[in-house]
Amino acid sequence: MAETAERTATRKPSEMFPARELSSGAFLADREGLLGILFLAPAVLYIIGLVGIPFFLAIAFSLSDATIGDASLDIVGFRNFSRVIQTPQFRRALFDSFFFTIVAQFIVIVLANILAVVMSRDFRGKWLARTLIILPWATPISLGTIGWKWILDSKFSPIDWVLQQVGLLGGPDALLGPGRHLTYLGVEGLAVSSVILVHVWRILPLATVILMAGLTSIPRDILEQAQVDGAKFWRIHFQVSIPMILPIMSIALLFGLIFTFTDMVVTFILTRGGPVYYTQVLPLWAWFKGIDGGNLGEGAAIALFMFPVLLATAILILRSARRMEVT
Amino acid sequence: MGVVELRGLRKEFGEVKAVNGVDLSIQKGELVVILGPSGCGKTTLMRMVAGLELPTDGEVLIGDRNVTALPPRARDIAMVFQSYALYPHMTVFDNIAFPLKARKAPKEEMAQKVEWAAGILGIQRLLARKPRQLSGGERQRVALARALVKEPAVMLLDEPLSNLDAKLRVSARDELQQFQRNLGITTIFVTHDQIEAMGLGDRIAVMNAGKVRQVGDPQEIYDDPADTFVATFLGSPPMNLLERNGHLLGFRPESFLPLEVARGDREKVTFPFHLGRVENLGSDRLLYGTVEGAERNRTISKLPSTVEVSVEAGETYDFAVCRADLRYFDKESGLRKEPPPREGG
Ligand SMILES: Nc1ncnc2c1ncn2[C@@H]1O[C@H](COP(=O)(O)OP(=O)(O)OP(=O)(O)O)[C@@H](O)[C@H]1O
Ligand SMILES: [Mg+2]
């Protein structure tokens, strides 16, 4: 073994690679067109198989009267769409999808900014704090949501217990009322807040980490220059740091938008769209209609309402990615 | 008392003593150059004046106020970083206006001051551009303009010319000096380039290993170095150091001339100079050789091309230095000392 290595080392490169091999190797590597096709093929197949076909199938379903029992495609035009639009559940789901997404993202941006700034500082236990922040991201969303379902449970909620202990709940003249429980998931306002809370909890780690990475990439000179120029903390943050990480921040935001907008796990586990249908969202409603209720046509129609939003977001993501390349 | 007073300033980074006891007083309107080799603590010193670094020990006074514990914004200073540190997302106008915004200056005053500073530096037509659309020289001007609008008590410049190409550097140096003189801004200028230092400075503080070795005007530093470090750091080629009769003798290569050329009636000291090698630089000839009868004896002579003596490598000639141009240093400490009573060549 050692002997071979030594021999190889002392031989000239031309001896190691006989001329013919060298040229044929160079031949393949030189044909950029062919190589390009070879490298791109898996991605193209993947997109056709897992994105393209389902997408066109969804369009076909939405225009047909297909059900789970009878998947034959009899075209019925836009009947599914008009029927879907007329139900209050759908309108609520449409509204809630936007409402949850926008409110949750707004809160996430605010909190992520604060957290990222705090976490970029030097303090004891920084690494522990950072790990704790990233933890929700590492937990499967369904598992985390089940945890939240317990925390917000109508009988066993630890939040209620704490509130009772400090006297804010359950006493005759307690601030939050004499009842022993707030039933977070059973009242419209609280249920909506709860769903938003869980979405925030889920997206916050990603946003924080992206912002932290952005903040650490700002040259130290520039921040020090801002200090010398007389700016105080908030001015530096909002007029120097944030604009400099805006491209990366907008990508974090857009990813958060997509994750929240398309998510059905949180509402499914937490509320199943209830109480009544006050926390219904498009993906969950599409699932209830199309899969649970078996009406593939209407389910597909509901799901397709998400498409323009997702398309617009994707375009925005690509544009801000390009802006990052340019600057 | 000076506009800037540094007293016993020290900074340690763990084991490293980056700045090790600096006392310096800078007068109003003066341009002081801090000159020293790479890593001698110039930037660290500057950062302590700016308030970006907290001294381990010592005090910083600016305009009679002790600012040692104050943040940069409370110090009435402006600084230009080596990288210029322009805000990449702001236009040139907004870059220059930023210190005024931070001070919440009214809009008209802001526009007026930016105009004024841009006018002085000749960058009015660039105001709408972003920094990435500027050349290195233009960026440097923007950074200077941004420092200028603050009308600071002292302006700190950390190697502001080192990112420019050689030709631009000369003209930028000239402009910088003009502008500093005209406006009378007290300025500290950091560089490791001795030509820059000699050309610009009203006074030069030569630093080495965290300490200021000598402070003085350029001529003084050049002619009367306080120790062997300063003597050999300045000048190109640097001062010759010979060890002879237990003394360390120093003289500049351009004062070390063939005896027949070194006319005039000043008293001379003669050395037998064994010539090893000749380098012709066009404007000068550099003669490398050794002085016979001395211990540390590598010596260089710099002959201007106007001196038309022909010399051959391998030969020994009589070279002379005016006694007044000889400097004596202590052999152990390297410090300058008085000439011994009577010692001849
Ligand atoms: N933050 C720091 N931590 C540890 N050591 C440092 C730090 N900053 C500077 N030093 C050390 O202090 C010494 C002086 O550094 P400084 O940057 O002041 O040198 P300088 O004179 O500006 O050099 P140059 O001409 O190369 O810019 C160096 O040995 C450097 O390694
Ligand atoms: Mg430096």
Side-chain angles (χ1 to χ4, degrees), chain B residues 13 16 18 37-44 159 192:
Chain B
F13 296 107
V16 185
S38 187
C40 71
K42 306 181 294 291
T43 298
T44 310
E159 313 211 15
H192 59 247

Side-chain angles (χ1 to χ4, degrees), chain A residues 10-11 32 49 74 119 122 148 165 168-170 177 188 196 200 207-208 224 232 248-249 252 264 303:
Chain A
T10 51
R11 271 196 291 165
E32 280 188 11
D74 302 318
M119 289 294 138
D122 271 325
W148 279 104
Q165 294 304 308
L168 284 171
L169 184 68
E188 183 178 0
I196 290 175
V200 168
T208 306
E224 290 180 341
K232 296 200 192 124
I248 200 173
M249 205 164 112
M264 60 175 280

